[in-house]
Every structure is written in C-alpha cells, then in structure tokens.
C-alpha cells in the first residue's frame, strides 16, 4: 500500500530566485509599478495608497541591512527544506502549484488539473544579454542552464488519481503532455530547480487556478480535494513512499503577517474548519496561492508539522512584498 510519509510547503516568489542586491535595491524600483495590489481586506488598491496608509517607521524595516538579513534567512530555509525532502527517501512527490497563464490561458482555464504524461519538460534559458534586466535574469534562473530537461512523472498513479477524483465528482482537467513551446510553470520549475536540484524524483503536478477569476476554487473545495487525495493515496495498492509539497504563497503582493499566521496555525492544529472558512476575498493576486497550502494541509492531517520558517519579506516602505514560508511535516520512516 502507498503511504503519505512526508509533506512540505514552500513559497516560490521571484524573491527566492533573485540576488541579494535585488532584495536591497531592485524591488524598491519595480514594486511601485505593480498593478495587482489588494489591501488586507481584499480591496483593490495601488502602491501610492498603500504607502500613504503605512504606519510610521516602515522605512527602517526595509534598509539594505534588514533586506540582507531576510535574504540570508530565506536562503538557509530553502537549503534546509531541500535536505528534508532528500532525507524523506520518497518514491514520488506530488507538487500542488498554480498556473498563471503558463500552460493554460483565460480562454480555457480549468479550476483543477493533473498532469500524467511520462515526463514534463522544462526549457533552457534564453541566451543572456548585457541589456537584460535583473528581473528577467531571475525568471530565467528557473529554466535549465544549458539544455531542455524532461523530468520524470509517476504517470500511472497520476492517471489513476484523475479517474478516481472524477468518480468522486471532482472535475479534473487531464494533461498527458505539453504542446510545442510549452514548459512546466513557475510553481513547478521552482521545486525542480531550487529544492530538488539534482535529485531524480518522479513527481505528479497538481495544478490549481488560484490566480485568475472567475473560477478559482473556494477554500472549502481545496480542503475537500486534499481530503480526497489523502484517502486515494492510501488506497493505491503499490508500496510507495509518497510526499507532497505546496508551492507558492503566502501573502503577497502586500505582506499580511496576521493572515499568514492564521493559515500556519490552522494547518499546525489540523483545523480544517478554519481553513475551509477562509474568506476568498483575502485570497487574491499572489495571496491566492495560499489555496495550494490548504490542499496540502488537509492531505497531511495524519502527520504533524515539525518545522516552520517564516520570513516577512517586506520590500518597500509601503509594506509590499511576500510572506515567505517554508514548512515540513514530521516524516514517517
């Protein structure tokens, strides 16, 4: 019988593929141009309004020294999480991540999808140019350094999960391959490139539309999906050590520490009711990726959260940025 033996969570913000100097100076230049801001009540806003509403003293929160400290904390957390995944000795890792018009478009955008091809492709970086911005360089880091790479997928289990979830009345888009020019989205690139590194581990991409209205799944539906996946993993007849990781989140593009701690605490306490009752209005723009953690939190109810590292990734005096979170549930050996 298969057994879910380990669970993890990781932010995948562009901050985590940027350089120290980008944290110290780059985001301050680009954040005022962001058009995806929502305030802590879920209302649409802009940078100027956020800056005007910020409390006194926020400039001291984003000095180059403070940014450097946060950079180091995030790097150390990612290194530790990478080792924890390796130490779990998994046979397969489900990656629960979002798609932001990468494999899908708003012309055809399913709420849930599972990829079940034999492999999933990541493409090589575009050739670097001296004129490239640091933002482009950071995004290109998610791609392969020299040549396209096809990562293994546990396709038989993935296909079976699709069928079983459909039998349970989940409408799952099924993907058995990629079109020419397509490659895995950023939520999955990050896991492969930064956390798995050279570890050869079959994955199953579970894709949520967290970001684009009007058909994002409710928190309640995300929790239900996690419960169904937990039960189905246990029903797979082959002996497998299965892991799962939530890719994305927590709050952004405005850091909301209260919301982040509410989610982390509810997951730690296995409080499915609180997670299911989260107001979808709070899960917009980047904060929408919290949905991925809701799925994994419910999948991992039989495990205990063992380690959490939270870095409030403020980037500007307007308190824009990302609530960077990294977590591991106690592994069953």
């Amino acid at each position: 019988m298969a057994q879910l033996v380990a669970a993890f969570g990781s932010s995948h913000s562009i901050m985590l593929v940027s350089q120290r100097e980008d944290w110290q100076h780059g985001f301050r230049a680009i954040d005022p141009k962001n058009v995806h801001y929502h305030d802590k009540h879920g209302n649409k806003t802009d940078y100027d309004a956020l800056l005007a509403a910020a409390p006194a003293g926020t400039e001291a929160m984003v000095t180059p020294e403070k940014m450097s400290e946060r950079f180091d904390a995030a790097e150390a957390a990612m290194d530790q999480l990478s080792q924890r995944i390796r130490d779990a000795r998994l046979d397969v890792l489900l990656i629960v991540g979002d798609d932001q018009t990468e494999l899908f478009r708003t012309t055809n955008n399913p709420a849930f999808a599972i990829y079940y091809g034999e492999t999933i492709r990541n493409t090589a970086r575009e050739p670097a140019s001296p004129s490239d911005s640091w933002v482009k360089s950071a995004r290109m880091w998610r791609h392969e350094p020299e040549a396209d790479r096809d990562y293994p997928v546990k396709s038989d289990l993935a296909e079976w999960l699709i069928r079983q979830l459909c039998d349970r009345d989940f409408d799952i888009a099924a993907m058995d391959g990629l079109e020419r020019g397509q490659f895995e989205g950023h939520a999955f690139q990050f896991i492969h490139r930064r956390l798995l590194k050279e570890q050869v581990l079959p994955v199953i991409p579970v894709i949520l539309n967290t970001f684009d209205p009007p058909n994002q799944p409710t928190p309640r539906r995300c929790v239900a999906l996690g419960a169904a996946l937990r039960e189905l993993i246990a029903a797979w007849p082959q002996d497998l050590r299965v892991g799962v990781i939530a890719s994305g989140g927590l709050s952004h593009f405005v850091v909301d520490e209260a919301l982040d701690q509410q989610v982390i605490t509810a997951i730690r306490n296995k409080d499915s009711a609180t997670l299911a009752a989260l107001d979808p209005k709070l899960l917009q723009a980047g904060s929408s990726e919290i949905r991925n953690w809701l799925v994994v939190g419910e999948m991992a109810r039989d495990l205990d959260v063992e380690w959490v590292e939270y870095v409030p990734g403020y980037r500007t005096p307007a308190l824009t940025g990302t609530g960077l979170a990294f977590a591991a549930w106690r592994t069953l050996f």
Side-chain angles (χ1 to χ4, degrees), residues 45-62:
T45 188
D46 58 29
Y47 182 87
D48 290 339
L50 290 169
L51 184 60
T58 57
E59 186 67 47
M61 299 168 62
V62 291

mmCIF file of all heavy atoms in Angstrom, residues 45-62:
data_model
loop_
_atom_site.group_PDB
_atom_site.id
_atom_site.type_symbol
_atom_site.label_atom_id
_atom_site.label_comp_id
_atom_site.label_asym_id
_atom_site.label_seq_id
_atom_site.Cartn_x
_atom_site.Cartn_y
_atom_site.Cartn_z
ATOM 1 N N THR A 45 -6.294 48.115 -4.664
ATOM 2 C CA THR A 45 -5.627 49.358 -4.276
ATOM 3 C C THR A 45 -4.406 49.552 -5.158
ATOM 4 O O THR A 45 -4.195 48.817 -6.126
ATOM 5 C CB THR A 45 -5.264 49.326 -2.771
ATOM 6 O OG1 THR A 45 -4.791 50.617 -2.375
ATOM 7 C CG2 THR A 45 -4.198 48.288 -2.474
ATOM 8 N N ASP A 46 -3.584 50.544 -4.818
ATOM 9 C CA ASP A 46 -2.364 50.774 -5.585
ATOM 10 C C ASP A 46 -1.227 51.138 -4.624
ATOM 11 O O ASP A 46 -1.440 51.312 -3.418
ATOM 12 C CB ASP A 46 -2.549 51.856 -6.655
ATOM 13 C CG ASP A 46 -2.982 53.204 -6.103
ATOM 14 O OD1 ASP A 46 -2.650 53.526 -4.939
ATOM 15 O OD2 ASP A 46 -3.650 53.958 -6.827
ATOM 16 N N TYR A 47 -0.053 51.254 -5.175
ATOM 17 C CA TYR A 47 1.131 51.480 -4.343
ATOM 18 C C TYR A 47 1.040 52.781 -3.566
ATOM 19 O O TYR A 47 1.366 52.828 -2.370
ATOM 20 C CB TYR A 47 2.390 51.462 -5.206
ATOM 21 C CG TYR A 47 3.651 51.630 -4.391
ATOM 22 C CD1 TYR A 47 4.282 50.531 -3.814
ATOM 23 C CD2 TYR A 47 4.212 52.894 -4.174
ATOM 24 C CE1 TYR A 47 5.425 50.679 -3.042
ATOM 25 C CE2 TYR A 47 5.359 53.055 -3.412
ATOM 26 C CZ TYR A 47 5.956 51.936 -2.848
ATOM 27 O OH TYR A 47 7.076 52.092 -2.073
ATOM 28 N N ASP A 48 0.588 53.840 -4.220
ATOM 29 C CA ASP A 48 0.543 55.127 -3.541
ATOM 30 C C ASP A 48 -0.390 55.088 -2.334
ATOM 31 O O ASP A 48 -0.085 55.652 -1.277
ATOM 32 C CB ASP A 48 0.103 56.222 -4.517
ATOM 33 C CG ASP A 48 1.165 56.536 -5.568
ATOM 34 O OD1 ASP A 48 2.349 56.216 -5.312
ATOM 35 O OD2 ASP A 48 0.810 57.081 -6.624
ATOM 36 N N ALA A 49 -1.532 54.418 -2.478
ATOM 37 C CA ALA A 49 -2.470 54.309 -1.364
ATOM 38 C C ALA A 49 -1.878 53.472 -0.239
ATOM 39 O O ALA A 49 -2.060 53.789 0.944
ATOM 40 C CB ALA A 49 -3.785 53.705 -1.851
ATOM 41 N N LEU A 50 -1.168 52.408 -0.591
ATOM 42 C CA LEU A 50 -0.530 51.581 0.431
ATOM 43 C C LEU A 50 0.530 52.367 1.185
ATOM 44 O O LEU A 50 0.641 52.285 2.410
ATOM 45 C CB LEU A 50 0.104 50.348 -0.217
ATOM 46 C CG LEU A 50 -0.861 49.296 -0.767
ATOM 47 C CD1 LEU A 50 -0.097 48.278 -1.616
ATOM 48 C CD2 LEU A 50 -1.600 48.589 0.364
ATOM 49 N N LEU A 51 1.308 53.162 0.462
ATOM 50 C CA LEU A 51 2.355 53.953 1.094
ATOM 51 C C LEU A 51 1.753 55.009 2.025
ATOM 52 O O LEU A 51 2.245 55.233 3.142
ATOM 53 C CB LEU A 51 3.227 54.611 0.032
ATOM 54 C CG LEU A 51 4.428 55.410 0.525
ATOM 55 C CD1 LEU A 51 5.384 54.520 1.316
ATOM 56 C CD2 LEU A 51 5.148 56.071 -0.648
ATOM 57 N N ALA A 52 0.668 55.626 1.578
ATOM 58 C CA ALA A 52 0.025 56.650 2.399
ATOM 59 C C ALA A 52 -0.557 56.063 3.680
ATOM 60 O O ALA A 52 -0.596 56.740 4.718
ATOM 61 C CB ALA A 52 -1.062 57.351 1.588
ATOM 62 N N ALA A 53 -1.007 54.805 3.619
ATOM 63 C CA ALA A 53 -1.641 54.168 4.772
ATOM 64 C C ALA A 53 -0.647 53.459 5.680
ATOM 65 O O ALA A 53 -1.020 53.008 6.775
ATOM 66 C CB ALA A 53 -2.687 53.165 4.288
ATOM 67 N N ALA A 54 0.602 53.364 5.259
ATOM 68 C CA ALA A 54 1.596 52.635 6.049
ATOM 69 C C ALA A 54 1.888 53.369 7.357
ATOM 70 O O ALA A 54 1.918 54.595 7.390
ATOM 71 C CB ALA A 54 2.880 52.464 5.247
ATOM 72 N N PRO A 55 2.102 52.627 8.437
ATOM 73 C CA PRO A 55 2.430 53.280 9.712
ATOM 74 C C PRO A 55 3.813 53.914 9.675
ATOM 75 O O PRO A 55 4.636 53.625 8.799
ATOM 76 C CB PRO A 55 2.377 52.132 10.720
ATOM 77 C CG PRO A 55 2.649 50.899 9.911
ATOM 78 C CD PRO A 55 2.047 51.165 8.559
ATOM 79 N N ALA A 56 4.058 54.772 10.653
ATOM 80 C CA ALA A 56 5.368 55.399 10.737
ATOM 81 C C ALA A 56 6.443 54.353 11.017
ATOM 82 O O ALA A 56 6.186 53.338 11.666
ATOM 83 C CB ALA A 56 5.366 56.454 11.851
ATOM 84 N N GLY A 57 7.613 54.591 10.488
ATOM 85 C CA GLY A 57 8.744 53.718 10.789
ATOM 86 C C GLY A 57 8.990 52.601 9.807
ATOM 87 O O GLY A 57 9.899 51.784 10.007
ATOM 88 N N THR A 58 8.208 52.548 8.739
ATOM 89 C CA THR A 58 8.385 51.416 7.815
ATOM 90 C C THR A 58 9.680 51.507 7.020
ATOM 91 O O THR A 58 10.186 50.489 6.563
ATOM 92 C CB THR A 58 7.195 51.313 6.847
ATOM 93 O OG1 THR A 58 7.052 52.552 6.122
ATOM 94 C CG2 THR A 58 5.909 51.034 7.612
ATOM 95 N N GLU A 59 10.202 52.714 6.847
ATOM 96 C CA GLU A 59 11.470 52.839 6.129
ATOM 97 C C GLU A 59 12.562 52.037 6.819
ATOM 98 O O GLU A 59 13.422 51.426 6.166
ATOM 99 C CB GLU A 59 11.865 54.311 6.037
ATOM 100 C CG GLU A 59 13.086 54.580 5.178
ATOM 101 C CD GLU A 59 12.859 54.303 3.703
ATOM 102 O OE1 GLU A 59 11.830 54.744 3.170
ATOM 103 O OE2 GLU A 59 13.727 53.627 3.092
ATOM 104 N N ALA A 60 12.522 51.986 8.156
ATOM 105 C CA ALA A 60 13.538 51.244 8.906
ATOM 106 C C ALA A 60 13.403 49.738 8.728
ATOM 107 O O ALA A 60 14.342 48.992 9.049
ATOM 108 C CB ALA A 60 13.438 51.601 10.391
ATOM 109 N N MET A 61 12.243 49.289 8.220
ATOM 110 C CA MET A 61 12.017 47.854 8.024
ATOM 111 C C MET A 61 12.624 47.344 6.722
ATOM 112 O O MET A 61 12.713 46.132 6.523
ATOM 113 C CB MET A 61 10.520 47.546 8.058
ATOM 114 C CG MET A 61 9.844 47.906 9.369
ATOM 115 S SD MET A 61 8.034 47.851 9.294
ATOM 116 C CE MET A 61 7.760 46.113 8.922
ATOM 117 N N VAL A 62 13.015 48.254 5.834
ATOM 118 C CA VAL A 62 13.473 47.838 4.508
ATOM 119 C C VAL A 62 14.834 48.452 4.179
ATOM 120 O O VAL A 62 15.137 48.734 3.017
ATOM 121 C CB VAL A 62 12.430 48.185 3.426
ATOM 122 C CG1 VAL A 62 11.186 47.329 3.588
ATOM 123 C CG2 VAL A 62 12.048 49.670 3.468
#
